[in-house]
Amino acid sequence: MTAIRTDGLTKRYGETVAVDSLDLRVEDGSVFGFLGPNGAGKTTTIDMILDYATPTEGEATVFGSSPDDVDIRRRVGVLPEDFGVYPRLTGREHVEFAVESKRADDDPEELLERVALEDDADKRAGGYSKGMRKRLLLATALVGEPDLLVLDEPTSGLDPNGARRVREIVSEENDRGATVFFSSHILGQVEAVCDTVGIMRDGEMAAVDSVERLRDRLGSVSRLTLVVDDTEAAAEAARGVEGVEPTVEDGAVVVSCAEPRLKLDVLDAVRNVTRVDDFTTTESSLDDVFEEVTHG
Amino acid sequence: MTWRDVAKKEFRDAVRARSLWALAAVFAVFMVATTYVHAFVFAATDEVEQTGTSFVSGVVGQGSAFVAALVALLGLLVGYATVVDERDSGSIKFLLGLPHSRLDVVLGKVAGRSAVLVAAFAVGFVASAAFLVTYDSPDFGVYLGFVALTSLLGIAFVSTGVGLSSAVASRRRVTAVTFALLFLLVFWDTGAGPAIVVYALTGEFGPAVWWYDYLAAVFPNVAYANVGALIVGGDFDRLVAYSLAVIVAWAVVPLAFGYYRFRDADV
């Protein structure tokens, strides 16, 4: 069974092609990370999957039905990217409205607790911060134990704790059996929770693969830069750690690690042989990923 | 069909807006002032017997241009921004992400906002009825007819407003269209509009043609006066039936057009 399927899905605005003949398959029960930089066409694609926008050509189906089928939406939980709330209604009233609309029997209190909004539940949503609004909409998306969650940039605008909570909820929902379609422009937000990652670029799917296979194709994912007393000794020590390739740049040792956890191993190895004055780590940005995927 | 859920949400939301209570106050002041003028100022001349019927007759007869224009203004104000504002703020994505069809959204908005308007009007109706008790003969039956007719007119304008709001994609555009419509309504009610049309079509001046009254009553505020005449004891003739149909048509046609445009729109 395919949760989301698009065939030749295309959206044009005048001369601009926002989404170009997209063929997408999201398997039932999977967590699909939908990546791409801002402007790649992710939100337009999601808009067509959710019937917010009509495709210029092609079609999208959700569990085999047209997106404008209201009955299908009872099985889907939605967190759109550019959503608004009703400023005069409280957080609790938003959740209650979703429960009534979905003919579900969830306890609003429980859902608000899951997104850590229980203390602000009776305040009007007009006074909520951007992050609180996002968590509120996530709570409404969880109403009725949906078979499919469509989350557009669910972690953007959240603090690290909030983003982690979102990833936990994604895993919990997936364990329950839900399919999760999770978009982000940051690789790090999706790699920990997704089975499959699709990378969109300029309205097209540049790559679809499992996270492991994608990482293999990408080679280095994170870089560790060490400012040390003895660069030669440090490079030698780092070379001893399996799976890393150190180089010396501008008097610092730069180590590319395929596995993020290797950074600590390298750090430990180097500290045994010389003094470490400073170190920084950088994750591969999605732009690097695109370079690899589309030109590599 | 989930329009009832949308209506409930809409009512709960709109009833908390301060602007709504300003609107209720305007209507209440108008109703009380009218009743007061009728009861005390006219009564002082001893020329008219003070009854509920004479009051309603005054309001929907001589006063109809003003009452109907006020009801049009308030009804359109309650309805005209409701869909467009949700598109501007993005709350439409929350709403349509739930299992509501676009028809449910449009119908729910008309129902919820109509309830809001009637609630706002109720303040004025009750205040006015309190004065009516002091009349020689309050004629509450006639007064209830007036309440029902005025509410129906208000609902027709709420529905027209929601229709306009569904038909266009920006707040600026719906504001322009709504004010143009209000101007046309008032202009038509002066008789100048229908007179120009009659002259253009037949070369004759004024209400010389048999269909003049029907032409004049294509707008619901004019039709309101015709139906009002029935409430205070007039005959149910063809013009009254036509006028009722006009009011109902304004509740239905702009809404159907708005829904037709909104159904396939990108939000």
Side-chain angles (χ1 to χ4, degrees):
Chain A
M1 185 68 187
T2 313
I4 299 173
R5 178 187 170 126
T6 74
D7 292 291
L9 192 68
T10 301
K11 184 71 177 179
R12 278 190 289 271
Y13 297 102
E15 294 289 294
T16 316
V17 183
V19 176
D20 194 359
S21 309
L22 191 71
D23 297 317
L24 182 70
R25 302 283 179 276
V26 177
E27 293 307 318
D28 202 7
S30 67
V31 180
F32 190 99
F34 192 40
L35 285 165
N38 294 324
K42 297 191 306 292
T43 294
T44 307
T45 302
I46 291 174
D47 280 354
M48 290 187 282
I49 291 168
L50 297 175
D51 191 41
Y52 295 145
T54 312
T56 314
E57 278 164 32
E59 61 159 9
T61 59
V62 178
F63 294 121
S65 295
S66 166
D68 65 1
D69 182 344
V70 173
D71 291 327
I72 276 300
R73 240 169 303 151
R74 217 159 278 157
R75 298 175 57 191
V76 180
V78 175
L79 171 57
E81 191 198 4
D82 44 356
F83 69 89
V85 294
Y86 297 109
R88 289 185 293 266
L89 298 184
T90 66
R92 189 189 308 280
E93 283 169 333
H94 279 79
V95 178
E96 284 168 354
F97 176 52
V99 171
E100 285 162 19
S101 299
K102 284 193 150 182
R103 310 276 183 264
D105 54 6
D106 299 74
D107 176 10
E109 193 66 37
E110 214 171 282
L111 289 167
L112 287 158
E113 274 170 26
R114 278 185 83 183
V115 297
L117 270 181
E118 65 273 23
D119 294 339
D120 299 295
D122 294 314
K123 292 184 187 142
R124 292 187 178 190
Y128 281 14
S129 69
K130 198 166 173 262
M132 289 163 77
R133 288 171 192 216
K134 200 143 230 176
R135 285 187 277 144
L136 173 60
L137 260 276
L138 180 62
T140 67
L142 299 175
V143 166
E145 302 208 328
D147 297 327
L148 170 67
L149 278 167
V150 178
L151 313 175
D152 195 357
E153 296 277 359
T155 56
S156 77
L158 295 185
D159 58 31
N161 274 336
R164 198 185 59 236
R165 188 77 201 104
V166 168
R167 288 194 296 272
E168 283 166 10
I169 288 173
V170 166
S171 297
E172 288 161 15
E173 292 294 301
N174 184 240
D175 289 345
R176 174 176 67 71
T179 308
V180 185
F181 186 75
F182 179 146
S183 93
S184 180
H185 63 282
I186 300 164
L187 180 63
Q189 296 293 345
V190 304
E191 62 179 347
V193 288
C194 295
D195 325 313
T196 312
V197 171
I199 298 175
M200 204 170 177
R201 178 175 164 134
D202 294 336
E204 293 178 44
M205 208 52 119
V208 180
D209 222 329
S210 70
V211 174
E212 292 76 24
R213 299 243 307 267
L214 204 59
R215 194 179 284 147
D216 288 347
R217 276 170 69 179
L218 295 175
S220 60
V221 195
S222 50
R223 276 152 61 96
L224 174 66
T225 306
L226 296 157
V227 179
V228 293
D229 196 37
D230 182 347
T231 50
E232 287 306 313
E236 193 55 40
R239 208 162 280 133
V241 178
E242 201 177 335
V244 300
E245 195 52 53
T247 54
V248 178
E249 291 172 18
D250 300 328
V253 178
V254 179
V255 185
S256 297
C257 304
E259 294 282 334
R261 64 177 172 75
L262 290 178
K263 282 180 298 199
L264 278 176
D265 297 346
V266 172
L267 196 57
D268 287 341
V270 171
R271 281 172 70 192
N272 281 334
V273 295
T274 181
R275 193 179 79 238
V276 177
D277 294 324
D278 195 10
F279 70 95
T280 54
T281 64
T282 48
E283 301 297 312
S284 289
S285 72
L286 203 56
D287 284 340
D288 300 336
V289 175
F290 288 139
E291 278 315 302
E292 295 275 350
V293 167
T294 58
H295 301 121
Chain B
M1 293 300 277
T2 57
W3 63 270
R4 278 191 201 85
D5 299 290
V6 178
K8 214 171 102 185
K9 182 278 298 175
E10 197 67 29
F11 183 82
R12 209 184 251 186
D13 183 29
V15 128
R16 289 182 192 166
R18 268 193 212 113
S19 55
L20 177 79
W21 294 106
L23 187 152
V26 167
F27 189 74
V29 166
F30 163 77
M31 284 302 297
V32 168
T34 311
T35 329
Y36 176 81
V37 166
H38 193 76
F40 297 101
V41 181
F42 279 39
T45 67
D46 271 343
E47 282 167 19
V48 197
E49 195 194 351
Q50 293 314 299
T51 66
T53 304
S54 72
F55 166 69
V56 172
S57 171
V59 175
V60 300
Q62 298 94 304
S64 78
F66 189 77
V67 188
L70 182 67
V71 171
L73 174 71
L74 301 182
L76 287 171
L77 276 180
V78 165
Y80 88 109
T82 163
V83 178
V84 156
D85 276 4
E86 288 221 30
R87 286 171 80 167
D88 280 351
S89 78
S91 58
I92 196 87
K93 287 196 162 183
F94 169 55
L95 187 57
L96 290 175
L98 297 170
H100 305 296
S101 71
R102 297 198 184 193
L103 185 62
D104 287 324
V105 167
V106 168
L107 292 179
K109 283 195 169 279
V110 172
R113 292 277 163 160
S114 294
V116 161
L117 184 81
V118 171
F121 278 5
V123 180
F125 286 142
V126 169
S128 174
F131 268 99
L132 225 54
V133 178
T134 67
Y135 286 12
D136 306 332
S137 159
D139 295 339
F140 277 116
V142 172
Y143 184 72
L144 280 179
F146 160 75
V147 167
L149 175 63
T150 307
S151 301
L152 176 67
L153 183 69
I155 290 168
F157 280 115
V158 170
S159 184
T160 299
V162 174
L164 296 177
S165 198
S166 310
V168 301
S170 80
R171 176 75 184 254
R172 199 164 45 86
R173 229 176 286 171
V174 78
T175 307
V177 172
T178 304
F179 276 89
L181 174 63
L182 263 176
F183 176 80
L184 191 61
L185 287 168
V186 173
F187 177 68
W188 200 262
D189 202 5
T190 63
I196 290 167
V197 173
V198 168
Y199 180 72
L201 291 177
T202 67
E204 294 189 59
F205 285 103
V209 292
W210 67 268
W211 42 269
Y212 177 85
D213 286 339
Y214 292 87
L215 177 69
V218 297
F219 285 105
N221 49 339
V222 183
Y224 172 78
N226 294 337
V227 183
L230 172 75
I231 288 174
V232 292
D235 293 329
F236 188 80
D237 58 12
R238 204 174 289 168
L239 184 63
V240 172
Y242 167 83
S243 298
L244 257 178
V246 163
I247 297 175
V248 172
W250 278 83
V252 174
V253 177
L255 188 69
F257 171 71
Y259 168 65
Y260 168 75
R261 299 254 314 186
F262 179 60
R263 191 184 52 188
D264 300 316
D266 291 358
V267 293

